Structures are given as C-alpha cells and as structure tokens.
C-alpha cells in the first residue's frame, strides 16, 4: 500500500510539474507570437502600389502555359490598386476585381471597374485601422500589417477575397481565393 501511495504521489507530482512547464512554455510562445511591432504613422504616409496578390493555388489565366500563384503575373487587372495615406489621417484606396466566367464554352476573364474608397486611418502598434463611411454608417476594418523595409503585406480573409474575384463558376480558376496582398512604396 505504501508503494502504491508513493507511486501515486510521484505520478501526480510529475504530471503537475510537466503541466506547469508546458503552461509556461505556451505562455512564452503566445507572447512571442503576439508581440507587436510599433509602426510610426510617418512610415505609411505616401503612395503605395500593389506588387503581389497571392492566391491559394497556381493558375494560368493569361494562357502563357506558366502557372503562378501571384495574380499580378497572370493579369493586368490589378495594376491600378493602391493606397495613399496622408498626414491628416485620411486615405484613398483603389481596389480592382477580376471577373471569372464561361461564355459560349470559353473561359472569359475580365477586369472589373475600379472601386475608390476614402476615409480615415490610424495605427496602433502593427494594426492599421481604416474607417470608411458607407450609407451614412462608418465601417471599421482592422489590418494586421507585416512590414519589410519598403513594403507592407497583410493576409486576406474569404469575405475580402470575393471582392477581388467575381467568380461566376465553371472556369479553371473557379474557387480561387486571394490569401495575401503586398504593397510597396510608389516611386516618383
């Protein structure tokens, strides 16, 4: 009986010790993952142009027999996309979209009209907040920025992806999803 109690005590002590270690390790990993980068407002001020639009699989939209997961290498539809951040905390954003459809048994890809949005912006650490007024209501969008020296990137969720790809089904690119965008400072 003493051996059983001793065994049970050692087992429980080992489990508790291991649990505490794992918890501490998890907390440290979580801190490192969530560590924010401070970005000065002045970093964003200026004009930015899209330089990468990554999708979830490789496609050949332009018919050059080369597959790519960067839509900018497949179509010119997104060349006008960009941001302008001004020092008075206002911004202008130009978004573009690609239409995907089948017409008379042929795949048709077409550039849709640009959408221009204006509003206010702010930064908190590495999160960009965009405030856009639509139908008398202010909408907030939070974008976690990933910075490099001369560019910023961010992930795109499914709801945002459908704004870039107007998919009517039936094409080899149907079901495609934009997963990230990268912008670089526009050279004058």
């Amino acid at each position: 009986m003493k051996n059983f109690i001793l065994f049970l005590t050692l087992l429980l002590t080992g489990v508790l010790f291991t649990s505490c270690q794992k918890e501490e390790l998890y907390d440290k990993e979580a801190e490192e993952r969530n560590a924010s980068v401070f970005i000065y407002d002045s970093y964003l001020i200026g004009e930015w142009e899209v330089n990468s639009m990554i999708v979830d699989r490789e496609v050949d939209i332009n018919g050059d027999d080369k597959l790519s997961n960067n839509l900018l290498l497949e179509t010119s539809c997104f060349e006008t996309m960009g941001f302008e951040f001004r020092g008075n905390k206002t911004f202008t954003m130009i978004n573009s979209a690609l239409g995907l459809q089948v017409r008379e048994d042929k795949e048709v890809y077409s550039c849709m009209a640009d959408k221009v949005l204006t509003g206010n912006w702010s930064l908190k650490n590495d999160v960009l907040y965009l405030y856009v007024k639509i139908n008398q209501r202010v909408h907030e969008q939070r974008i976690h920025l990933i910075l490099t020296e001369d560019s910023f990137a961010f992930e795109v969720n499914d709801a945002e992806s459908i704004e870039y790809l107007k998919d009517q089904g039936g094409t080899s690119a149907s079901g495609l999803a934009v997963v990230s965008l990268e912008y670089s400072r526009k050279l004058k």
Side-chain angles (χ1 to χ4, degrees):
M1 183 71 174
K2 279 185 177 180
N3 287 341
F4 179 73
I5 292 173
L6 180 61
F7 173 74
L8 191 57
T9 304
L10 289 173
L11 181 67
L12 288 174
T13 304
V15 168
L16 289 173
F17 181 73
T18 304
S19 296
C20 290
Q21 283 183 328
K22 284 183 182 174
E23 197 173 295
E24 289 172 13
L25 179 63
Y26 173 77
D27 288 344
K28 287 180 184 174
E29 287 175 357
E31 275 181 38
E32 288 174 15
R33 248 193 335 270
N34 294 328
S36 295
V37 175
F38 182 80
I39 304 170
Y40 289 99
D41 290 351
S42 59
Y43 177 83
L44 282 183
I45 294 172
E47 292 184 49
W48 299 83
E49 59 190 354
V50 68
N51 66 12
S52 165
M53 179 180 274
I54 304 301
V55 291
D56 60 353
R57 69 176 194 274
E58 292 185 330
V59 291
D60 179 19
I61 291 176
N62 60 8
D64 66 357
D65 293 325
K66 295 178 185 173
L67 294 172
S68 178
N69 68 339
N70 184 350
L71 284 184
L72 296 185
L73 301 176
E74 294 296 321
T75 178
S76 61
C77 290
F78 302 104
E79 289 177 353
T80 58
M81 284 181 54
F83 280 99
E84 181 182 1
F85 296 102
R86 292 178 283 282
N88 65 359
K89 298 293 195 144
T90 62
F91 76 92
T92 301
M93 174 174 62
I94 300 172
N95 273 340
S96 303
L98 174 67
L100 308 152
Q101 62 182 315
V102 174
R103 230 184 278 144
E104 298 175 12
D105 294 328
K106 291 186 178 181
E107 293 186 1
V108 178
Y109 303 103
S110 56
C111 301
M112 313 292 281
D114 287 346
K115 189 185 294 186
V116 178
L117 296 171
T118 59
N120 297 307
W121 66 276
S122 67
L123 271 174
K124 183 174 181 183
N125 296 326
D126 57 352
V127 178
L128 172 64
Y129 294 84
L130 301 178
Y131 305 96
V132 178
K133 192 173 189 177
I134 301 172
N135 297 329
Q136 304 304 317
R137 187 167 174 235
V138 175
H139 297 269
E140 176 187 276
Q141 183 177 7
R142 295 178 194 164
I143 301 171
H144 176 257
L145 298 179
I146 303 160
L147 293 178
T148 65
E149 189 172 321
D150 294 321
S151 67
F152 66 85
F154 54 89
E155 293 179 353
V156 176
N157 66 37
D158 291 340
E160 295 163 338
S161 179
I162 61 175
E163 293 298 317
Y164 302 111
L165 301 171
K166 304 299 182 181
D167 187 358
Q168 295 184 12
T171 70
S172 60
S174 287
L176 198 62
V178 176
V179 294
S180 69
L181 286 166
E182 183 178 40
Y183 289 82
S184 59
R185 193 171 295 282
K186 195 171 187 176
L187 301 175
K188 300 204 184 225

